[in-house]
Structures are given as structure tokens and as C-alpha cells.
Amino acid sequence: MKGGKGRHAGGQQGPPTFVKGTGRKNMARVNPLGVAPERKKENRTLGRATLRKYMLGKKKGAMLDLSKLSSAPELSQQTCNLNSRQFVNTVLEIIAEDFPPIESLSLAGNNITTLEYFKACAEAHNLLGFVRNLDLSNNRIHSFKEVEHLKPFKLSEILMRGNPIATNLDEYAKRILTRLPTVQLVDRNNVVALRTSIKPKLPQVKASFYFMNGTQDLAFNFCNQYFKALDEQKFESDLLEAYAPDSLFTLTISRDLAIGYGVRAERILKTLRETSHNLCQLKNEAAPAKTVVKGRLYCLNVLREKVYGGMKTAHELSLFNVDSVQLQASLTTPTVVVTIHGVCEFSVSMNTAGGGKECKFKRCFDRTFVLQASPPNSSWPAVITNETLHLRPFKDPPVMKEGSDPDQPPDLEKAKHIALTKIVSETTNLTLEYAEMCLQAADWDPTVAQQLFLQQKDGLPPNAWKDGVKPN
């Protein structure tokens, strides 16, 4: 038999060799290459130590030069593949543990074909935002999609010459700038001037866009699409795409705001007060950033779970007052600010667990969207980078609708509701707003309203009572 010990002729693997264990059958097969698991671990430890020593020798001030790392003679006993997630993670882990923050990193000449793993590994080791200058020259990057993985690094300079995608400087520099908006130097060439030719084109939007032909499309289309998706509660399937990845959201509420009637409604109101970003409140003076929601996933979660949690909504755009303006400052991206003053009808269940009879009521809101251009192939005309929402009690001023007759008899049903509201308010000492909510929950039956009041009066907040004082 040839081929060495434990081998059949022709290099075929022979019968497994076992070592003794303890207790139950704990027989481990010896590695067919002759390296035991303990030895493998030892080799990895030695390999990491060798790599760390090599990297320490390549540091010069705030720069780390790892060019031609994959072919370095000092590391010939180990595989240095920067297309491997495991090796990329090892390199970045060493940088995080053993180096002060570095500003410049060279990975030139390493046969890199993908940058997929750099973002996740750098994020895991809190390295995003430190490296400002990155040299990727003389690698094998074939697609601009790979460049998109570098966006979270917020680079100021990138070197890409010697890669298949680096042909005509102006052309590939423009494509890099669309993916890395913070870059100012490409292959040591100042490309700031190129930004003017690649700025996203937004329609010009002027004040009162609802009433100006030719300038209303962007804001009108966005509002129509946004509030339709909101009323249909399409948070993940539709609204998520309406927010930029690093968008911000804040909520404030009026002190006299009420949300429906009953225990469930009071729980919702308590959550809204805890989420409020009102800087005049003591809890927010000490830590104002605590109630600022950052990131679109968190924004959507707050809207779904806290602002509209357990409630249905109905927005009527025809009743909105909207204004918008396009900022003219020297911004790299055109920005449109849309301000909305509107009314929303809420529906909240009277039951603690949801379901059953619903209480419907209206509330006013003031909402501001800061919009920028949406990415290619997006179904949205723009995306939200910043949003503020203020909820306040409903005010119903008299309006003269177009085509209405001023001599038309008054709405008798509405007059009856107003009279019942005043009666319930006088007999219970509730404010008019809470008396109206109580009657709405009782389908305007004063007897049922009285029963609801007796059942739930102990759980009502101070602002439910006239002068804020609960009667004895």
C-alpha cells in the first residue's frame, strides 16, 4: 500500500483514526491533514499576532498603510484575503483594539473585488466616521455598487485609479459622488465643482403650492401619497421608503390635549406625553436629545406604536392649509420644507384590549416635513430627512363653503349635540371637550353617557374637569 500511513493507494482517505475520550463515546476524528483542532486554534492565534505586529509596523501617524497586504512576505504563512468577511473582520478588530483613531487607510494592491463586508465589520467595531481618506487603487473592483457599501464611512477622499471602474475621471468621479455625497477628492482631484452637474433635480416649489399652477406637484403628490399610506397603516410596506435612512422625528403635544374617552385612551395619552419633545418641560431640558428619534426604522416604530398606536386615522387633504419653500442656501442637495396645518379624525376602541365600540373624535395637527430628492427607482417623489409633529385640540371655526347659502337653516342635529354637550358638562363638571367625547362614546344617548361617566370618572385626568378640579 502506497501513499503514506493511514492512506489507501491513490491518495484515498483510509479508515478514521480515533482518540480516547471520557464518559459517553467522545471519539474525535483526527484531521485528515494531520492538524488537530487545538493546533488549528493555536495557529490562528499565532497568525493574528503576526498580522498585528505587521500592521503596527505600517502605521505612520494617523495613517495605516496596508497596501499589498495580501502578498506581504512577512505574512506568507497565512491567507490574507480582503474579500473574506473573516479576514476583513480580523483586520478591523485589530485596528479597533490596538490603534488610536486613524484618518487615512491604504488598501491598495490587494486584489479586492468586493467591499460588501467593510460596512458591517466597521460598524461592529465602532469604526464608522473615523477614516476620512481611503486608498483602494490598483484593486479589481468592477461595479459601482461596491462603492455604495462605503457610504456610512463619510469619506472626504477616495483613490480608485487602477480599478476596472476607473476609466474617464470625470465620468467615474460623478458616479462615485452620487454614491458617496461627502467625498471632495477623487484620485487626488478636487471634484466639488462636479457636484453642481449631478445635483438631484427637484421641481421648483414656492409658497402656497396648492394655489400656484406648475409649482405644486412635488409637495402635493408627496402629501397625498403619505397620508393615504398613513390612514391605511402601511408602515413597513410603504411609509418606510418615504423616510431617508438617517431621518429624524420629534413629537410635541398641547398640554390640554385629550385622546378619546376611557382607560385605553388615557394610556395612549400617557404614552404621547412621555414621547413629547417639548423643550419647555423639565424632563427635556436636562436631556433634549432623548426624545429625538433617529433613523427611519425608529421613526416608523414611534409613529406606529406610540403616536398612532391602537388608533385609526382619517386625513382629509382638502381641509389642509399647506405652505412650502425651497431653501436657497448653498446646500449640496436641494431641500424643500413643507408645513401642514390640518385636521385628523381618530378612532379609538373603548375596550382596554381593543375592539368593540369605538370613540371617534377630531384633533388638529401641525406637521413639518424637510424633504430631499428620493433615490432612483423610488415610488416617492421625495424622502423625509426631518419631521416634526404637533398635536392639539380640535378647533372648528365657522367657514363659508363655496356655493353655500348664508340663509340656509341651521343644522338641527348639530345644534342638538351642542345642547346635549352643555347639559352633560353642567351635570358632571366635565369640560365641554370631555363631555362631547363621553356623548360620542355613548352614540349621543345621554342615559348611556351618564353610565359611562359613573364607571370611568375615577380614572379621568385633571384636565377633564372644569378648572382642573375633580368634584367631591
Side-chain angles (χ1 to χ4, degrees):
M1 201 164 46
K2 296 181 180 181
K5 185 178 179 180
R7 296 272 183 179
H8 290 296
Q12 302 261 339
Q13 182 177 306
T17 305
F18 297 98
V19 294
K20 286 186 177 181
T22 57
R24 295 180 61 188
K25 292 182 180 179
N26 187 25
M27 297 181 293
R29 180 172 175 173
V30 174
N31 189 291
L33 298 179
V35 182
E38 294 81 3
R39 181 70 177 275
K40 275 188 173 183
K41 184 176 180 181
E42 181 182 352
N43 288 346
R44 282 197 299 268
T45 304
L46 290 173
R48 191 181 190 282
T50 304
L51 177 61
R52 176 181 176 276
K53 182 179 178 180
Y54 174 86
M55 291 172 60
L56 288 172
K58 294 295 181 177
K59 182 180 179 299
K60 300 175 183 178
M63 178 180 179
L64 180 60
D65 184 4
L66 299 182
S67 59
K68 298 184 179 180
L69 169 72
S70 59
S71 57
E74 301 94 322
L75 304 173
S76 60
Q77 299 300 314
Q78 61 186 100
T79 303
C80 300
N81 182 7
L82 283 166
N83 296 308
S84 160
R85 184 188 186 104
Q86 182 176 354
F87 187 73
V88 169
N89 185 67
T90 300
V91 170
L92 297 182
E93 186 178 40
I94 292 174
I95 292 175
E97 292 178 355
D98 300 317
F99 291 80
I102 58 172
E103 296 180 3
S104 301
L105 174 63
S106 175
L107 298 173
N110 278 294
N111 294 315
I112 297 173
T113 60
T114 179
L115 302 171
E116 178 183 1
Y117 305 123
F118 282 87
K119 173 187 173 183
C121 295
E123 188 174 15
H125 299 298
N126 296 318
L127 289 176
L128 294 179
F130 288 107
V131 176
R132 311 298 294 177
N133 314 93
L134 180 62
D135 185 357
L136 289 169
S137 57
N138 299 316
N139 281 292
R140 296 190 292 120
I141 298 173
H142 290 263
S143 172
F144 284 99
K145 288 185 177 180
E146 299 298 334
V147 178
E148 295 178 3
H149 296 300
L150 301 176
K151 186 175 181 179
F153 286 86
K154 298 183 178 179
L155 300 172
S156 298
E157 179 183 11
I158 187 168
L159 280 75
M160 294 293 294
R161 60 174 176 261
N163 283 276
I165 62 172
T167 51
N168 179 278
L169 175 63
D170 284 353
E171 292 303 317
Y172 79 80
K174 287 180 182 180
R175 299 184 72 174
I176 288 175
L177 290 178
T178 59
R179 291 161 174 82
L180 305 178
T182 58
V183 165
Q184 299 178 16
L185 296 171
V186 175
D187 291 344
R188 305 194 188 285
N189 292 281
N190 192 318
V191 293
V192 175
L194 288 175
R195 290 194 182 280
T196 57
S197 63
I198 61 170
K199 283 183 179 180
K201 303 299 182 183
L202 291 180
Q204 184 181 7
V205 181
K206 296 181 180 179
S208 303
F209 67 86
Y210 272 88
F211 309 101
M212 299 191 69
N213 294 331
T215 61
Q216 64 183 6
D217 292 347
L218 174 73
F220 176 80
N221 291 337
F222 182 87
C223 289
N224 187 55
Q225 186 173 351
Y226 182 90
F227 288 103
K228 182 176 185 295
L230 182 60
D231 290 342
E232 294 175 358
Q233 298 184 343
K234 294 181 177 179
F235 290 99
E236 288 85 359
S237 62
D238 203 351
L239 284 175
L240 183 63
E241 192 182 346
Y243 288 81
D246 53 353
S247 54
L248 303 176
F249 172 82
T250 57
L251 168 75
T252 57
I253 63 172
S254 296
R255 294 181 179 179
D256 56 346
L257 180 71
I259 298 293
Y261 189 85
V263 176
R264 183 177 175 82
E266 291 307 319
R267 288 180 180 175
I268 295 172
L269 182 59
K270 181 181 178 182
T271 301
L272 291 176
R273 287 173 178 157
E274 293 172 350
T275 311
S276 176
H277 183 63
N278 186 355
L279 297 179
C280 293
Q281 294 180 349
L282 291 177
K283 72 180 183 69
N284 292 327
E285 284 185 5
K290 187 176 181 181
T291 48
V292 176
V293 185
K294 302 176 182 179
R296 63 180 175 185
L297 289 174
Y298 295 100
C299 292
L300 263 294
N301 185 62
V302 168
L303 286 170
R304 179 185 55 213
E305 301 296 335
K306 296 185 177 182
V307 179
Y308 300 111
M311 294 188 288
K312 300 175 184 177
T313 59
H315 294 84
E316 180 54 62
L317 266 70
S318 62
L319 301 178
F320 284 9
N321 291 316
V322 186
D323 196 10
S324 64
V325 63
Q326 181 168 343
L327 302 184
Q328 299 297 328
S330 56
L331 299 176
T332 57
T333 303
T335 301
V336 175
V337 180
V338 179
T339 304
I340 305 165
H341 308 284
V343 177
C344 176
E345 183 179 82
F346 292 85
S347 301
V348 60
S349 172
M350 295 291 294
N351 297 334
T352 305
K357 183 176 290 187
E358 291 183 339
C359 173
K360 293 187 177 182
F361 55 92
K362 293 181 179 180
R363 293 293 173 267
C364 291
F365 69 89
D366 309 298
R367 202 166 200 142
T368 300
F369 295 124
V370 179
L371 304 178
Q372 291 184 352
S374 55
N377 303 320
S378 174
S379 61
W380 291 84
V383 292
I384 301 167
T385 61
N386 199 320
E387 176 186 4
T388 62
L389 171 61
H390 178 71
L391 295 176
R392 52 190 172 87
F394 174 64
K395 305 296 182 184
D396 188 15
V399 294
M400 180 68 70
K401 295 185 179 179
E402 184 178 354
S404 63
D405 183 358
D407 297 325
Q408 185 179 359
D411 187 337
L412 297 180
E413 188 69 19
K414 184 174 182 180
K416 178 182 176 182
H417 288 174
I418 293 174
L420 283 174
T421 301
K422 290 181 179 179
I423 293 172
V424 171
S425 176
E426 291 298 327
T427 57
T428 61
N429 204 42
L430 289 173
T431 63
L432 289 173
E433 185 176 26
Y434 269 83
E436 181 183 14
M437 285 191 291
C438 183
L439 282 163
Q440 286 177 340
D443 291 333
W444 295 96
D445 185 328
T447 303
V448 177
Q450 183 70 18
Q451 294 173 353
L452 282 173
F453 169 74
L454 294 175
Q455 292 171 4
Q456 302 187 24
K457 65 177 183 178
D458 293 334
L460 296 177
N463 65 333
W465 310 99
K466 294 179 181 178
D467 303 323
V469 179
K470 179 181 177 181
N472 296 327

